[in-house]
Amino acid sequence: MPTVNRTATVLLTALAPVSWGTTYAVTTEFLPADRPLFTGMMRALPAGLVLLALARVLPRGVWWGKAAVLGALNIGAFFPLLFLSAYRLPGGMAAVVGSVGPLIVVGLSAVLLGQRPTARSVLTGLVAAFGVSLVVLKAAGALDVVGVAAAFTSAASMSAGTVLTKRWGRPDGVGPLALTAWQLTAGGLLIAPLALLVEGAPPALDGRAVGGYLYLALANTAVAYWLWFRGIGRLTATQVTFLGPLSPLTAAVVGWAALGQSLTPVQLAGMTLAFGAMVAGQLGVWPAAGRSFGPVDSSRREASADLTAPALRQT
């Protein structure tokens, strides 16, 4: 892949976590309070159905099961666990626990993709997590065990989904738009009955809430997850996940610019560390010319595990 195309792919993929960084502000300023499951469903299901209508492709064969697994990991489990951790933990702690995602991906890539962890990749992940902690962590009371478990499990769920998406690739003739549609729809259908059971009937929505949900479903979810899964198809799993710290960093910037929150020198230093670690996660050895990270059908699945092995050295 030419250098210009690599850079463009990284930048486009980075737009996904940047978009996700606006979720907190939109949720607190526009949406009904205390409805995390309903909000998760409204993010995922309408977005999935819109993309499904655009792609006009349904899974076939084993991909019904694979789409369900990926949808559960990347959406159906991730959204509720993420919201649960945010509600139960003191300010920013959920983001700090969630920032271990790159380290989880490094470990899972060793098992599922045959990529050996390096000291550089582990150190970069630790620096990113430390930088995020400086940005978002605030003094507060005792930690909630359930909240910490939910935050870690949400990070592990998304990390496993990222690595499995990389390992399984896509069926021949199926693009990232259809793959994104399958996962969002499956995840949304998983959340829907849980939201009804736990939170009851949907709340009444005013114009601000409708606008907020439209933004979350279209820009924040449909477009952002399409860019994310497109990036997974073209970059290594570790490169993609090292873009994750952009989400809490964007949230901090949005809070400062739009919500009147202050940024201290310590937070600015944390931003610099986290951003530097993110950049370091993109540098190094790229796949040799002629190698592709595109669709991989089931007959070539085992070969795909070796395809990305040399590339981990870049992190």
Side-chain angles (χ1 to χ4, degrees):
M1 183 189 298
T3 301
V4 174
N5 289 344
R6 297 169 188 165
T7 303
T9 298
V10 170
L11 292 177
L12 284 173
T13 307
L15 291 177
V18 168
S19 173
W20 298 334
T22 66
T23 303
Y24 175 78
V26 173
T27 300
T28 57
E29 298 299 312
F30 293 90
L31 304 184
D34 301 324
R35 302 303 294 262
L37 292 174
F38 178 76
T39 296
M41 181 196 69
M42 291 295 288
R43 282 187 67 186
L45 191 54
L49 294 175
V50 168
L51 293 186
L52 199 60
L54 292 175
R56 304 179 72 176
V57 177
L58 291 175
R60 290 188 295 180
V62 296
W63 270 98
W64 283 103
K66 288 184 177 181
V69 170
L70 294 177
L73 291 172
N74 287 319
I75 308 297
F78 175 69
F79 278 5
L81 288 169
L82 183 66
F83 280 118
L84 176 62
S85 66
Y87 273 87
R88 297 186 68 109
L89 292 178
M93 179 56 73
V96 173
V97 178
S99 66
V100 302
L103 296 174
I104 298 174
V105 167
V106 169
L108 290 175
S109 294
V111 176
L112 298 177
L113 301 179
Q115 298 177 342
R116 292 185 302 171
T118 66
R120 179 183 176 184
S121 62
V122 174
L123 179 60
T124 303
L126 290 173
V127 171
F130 179 66
V132 170
S133 71
L134 294 181
V135 175
V136 302
L137 191 58
K138 300 176 182 178
L143 297 182
D144 182 278
V145 175
V146 174
V148 172
F152 181 81
T153 307
S154 70
S157 179
M158 184 70 166
S159 299
T162 297
V163 175
L164 280 178
T165 300
K166 186 67 190 177
R167 177 173 175 81
W168 288 340
R170 303 189 306 270
D172 284 335
V174 173
L177 187 70
L179 184 64
T180 305
W182 299 347
Q183 295 187 52
L184 288 173
T185 303
L189 290 174
L190 182 64
I191 298 172
L194 184 62
L196 185 61
L197 180 65
V198 175
E199 297 177 350
L205 303 180
D206 58 16
R208 288 173 60 84
V210 170
Y213 281 126
L214 283 175
Y215 168 77
L216 288 182
L218 299 178
N220 185 269
T221 303
V223 175
Y225 271 93
W226 169 69
L227 290 172
W228 185 253
F229 293 128
R230 175 182 178 274
I232 292 175
R234 302 186 180 199
L235 306 170
T236 67
T238 46
Q239 283 177 316
V240 173
T241 198
F242 268 115
L243 296 173
L246 281 172
S247 181
L249 297 185
T250 301
V253 172
V254 170
W256 167 74
L259 303 180
Q261 300 171 356
S262 61
L263 288 175
T264 67
V266 172
Q267 287 178 301
L268 294 174
M271 285 184 175
T272 302
L273 281 175
F275 188 79
M278 182 205 72
V279 173
Q282 311 306 315
L283 301 177
V285 179
W286 285 77
R291 290 186 175 183
S292 171
F293 291 103
V296 181
D297 67 15
S298 58
S299 65
R300 301 195 304 272
R301 190 182 313 120
E302 293 303 322
S304 72
D306 297 328
L307 184 62
T308 58
L312 183 66
R313 292 191 292 271
Q314 67 201 11
T315 58

